[in-house]
Amino acid sequence: MPTPDELVADPRFPWTRELHPKSLAAPVVPEPTRGGVERAICPLCLQTDAAYLWTDEHWRLLPYKGVPLRGCVILESRTHVDSFSDLPRDVSAAYGPVLARIEKAVLSIGDVGRVHVSRWGEGIAHFHTWIMPRPLGVMEMRGPALMAWMDALPPLDEDQVDQAHLAIARALAD
């Protein structure tokens, strides 16, 4: 594990103040129930297609706002399942090709160095993955450091974010 000094010296680490690692709390078993476990109360299942940039028979692409990245989106399955292992075979087979299309659409907004795809599955119990574009040339945001910077930086102007989302929607419509 890196020391606080090593973390602060790493250009990908977004903070400069002195840091001290916290102690882990005792494990919580059983773990608390996550939101949306039941389809009838799942906020993603209850959302209409009008809230999404793009949809098809298996997937819906949600614009994600309030972050310091242009073009951050969340891909959600239409099927109410919790993880990769729960996806029906046809939906699972469609994941790679649709993700490739979305990556190409996100790259089309310009000034994108890399497109990162992440899945944690700790929040809502409905399958979704984050698609996050790293700004071109912003090397501090490489790899998993991107998430720390998302928490450290203020959100972008909403108009910039909306324009990027519209460009992604247009690219997927073609």
Side-chain angles (χ1 to χ4, degrees), residues 69-72 102-115 132-138 156 160 163-168 170-171:
L69 302 174
R70 291 173 44 252
C72 189
I102 293 167
E103 179 185 38
K104 188 175 180 179
V106 170
L107 288 167
S108 79
I109 68 175
D111 294 327
V112 174
R114 300 288 292 165
V115 176
M132 299 168 290
R134 177 182 57 77
L136 182 65
V138 183
L156 288 178
Q160 284 182 291
Q163 291 303 313
H165 286 146
L166 287 172
I168 291 167
R170 282 192 299 270

Side-chain angles (χ1 to χ4, degrees), residues 69-80:
L69 302 174
R70 291 173 44 252
C72 189
V73 291
I74 299 175
L75 180 64
E76 303 170 1
S77 63
R78 281 192 181 273
T79 305
H80 182 76

